[in-house]
Amino acid sequence: MNSPFGVALDAAGDIFIADTYDNRIREVLASTGNIVAYAYNGGAGFGPSKGPALSSAYNTPHYIALDPHGNLYVSGSDFDSIVERIDAAYHSVVVVAGVATNPKFYGYSGDGGLATLASINNAGLAVDGSGHLYIADDGNNRVRELLLTPTATPSVSSLTFPPTTVHSTASLSFTLANNGSDDLYISSTNIGPTPPFRLRATTCKNNIVAPLGTCTFTVTFTPSAVGTVNGSITINDNAFGSPSQTVTLSGTGQ
């Protein structure tokens, strides 16, 4: 390692280390004692700001913190005033504070608006169990707070199946996008009437949609009689301000 700085410990006893001048985050596995690469590729630049954590660059990470779900927050670059989040479920990286397209290390702006449009000059950080991220904006002599919240936006409001022969099956899909700053947890998915509508599959790993991620739902229609049937699929989750999303369903048996 080269001038390791910040350290964090998760509930499993794994140790995360900001390997600052190697431009990496590394993990010591409690189960084996082995050290492995956890985030960043060692490059001296910045980005991409969305995608696999090991394919991204973050120049000189100093401070790290874990939330209760094991998501890792990174701050304190010598060059780029950006706070990033490494998702525990998908191991993807997203920016949660600072302007990714202009990651300058000076400036102050953005209070009361989106954190990803704010200018910060950040150092240490901490996150509590209620989803509040606290940033030591040391270059601006302030501590700033970000409420980490998920959102849920279906790609459609309704699905209409093509006319389908009785006892045969048609399928349609839609996506659920999380454009927020925290994981979207899906608690249940209700569909009716069942039959003829069924939820066939989803791509939600562990029923989680990561920030800036999407999940695909595939619904089937198997009519048992001639005529039109209407139904719906309701997704219950922890989305801020709207903890359920409904897509109406319609199909005609022939």
Side-chain angles (χ1 to χ4, degrees):
M1 291 186 286
N2 189 350
S3 300
F5 196 88
V7 176
L9 181 72
D10 71 8
D14 295 339
I15 303 169
F16 297 84
I17 303 167
D19 189 359
T20 301
Y21 287 106
D22 283 324
N23 302 322
R24 300 177 185 272
I25 304 296
R26 303 172 76 181
E27 179 184 12
V28 178
L29 302 171
S31 59
T32 63
N34 293 339
I35 189 168
V36 298
Y38 187 79
Y40 306 126
N41 59 18
F46 174 77
S49 58
K50 177 184 176 183
L54 284 169
S55 298
S56 183
Y58 191 103
N59 201 332
T60 61
H62 280 78
Y63 300 92
I64 55 178
L66 287 160
D67 70 14
H69 300 289
N71 303 302
L72 185 72
Y73 296 81
V74 183
S75 180
S77 168
D78 286 339
F79 303 95
D80 305 312
S81 289
I82 296 290
V83 178
E84 289 199 317
R85 177 189 191 274
I86 313 299
D87 192 79
Y90 291 89
H91 210 192
S92 56
V93 60
V94 296
V95 172
V96 294
V99 183
T101 56
N102 185 24
K104 58 189 179 183
F105 60 91
Y106 59 88
Y108 174 78
S109 69
D111 276 356
L114 289 174
T116 50
L117 297 178
S119 294
I120 56 178
N121 192 342
N122 52 299
L125 75 169
V127 59
D128 68 15
S130 299
H132 297 82
L133 177 67
Y134 300 90
I135 302 169
D137 193 354
D138 66 337
N140 292 306
N141 301 317
R142 300 170 187 269
V143 174
R144 301 174 79 177
E145 179 185 8
L146 168 60
L147 176 60
L148 302 166
T149 56
T151 66
T153 306
S155 59
V156 298
S157 59
S158 63
L159 292 177
T160 301
F161 290 85
T164 304
T165 302
V166 171
H167 301 308
S168 63
T169 298
S171 65
L172 291 173
S173 298
F174 67 94
T175 61
L176 185 69
N178 174 13
N179 293 313
S181 54
D182 203 359
D183 283 329
L184 179 71
Y185 292 93
I186 297 171
S187 56
S188 64
T189 304
N190 303 316
I191 191 169
T194 302
F197 301 109
R198 292 185 183 276
L199 177 62
R200 188 180 73 183
T202 78
T203 60
C204 308
K205 183 178 180 181
N206 299 325
N207 290 324
I208 298 171
V209 186
L212 304 187
T214 61
C215 176
T216 299
F217 294 78
T218 300
V219 181
T220 61
F221 170 58
T222 308
S224 59
V226 173
T228 299
V229 181
N230 296 311
S232 64
I233 177 171
T234 300
I235 302 165
N236 299 305
D237 49 52
N238 65 327
F240 179 74
S242 180
S244 65
Q245 290 72 45
T246 298
V247 174
T248 60
L249 308 172
S250 179
T252 301
Q254 66 178 16

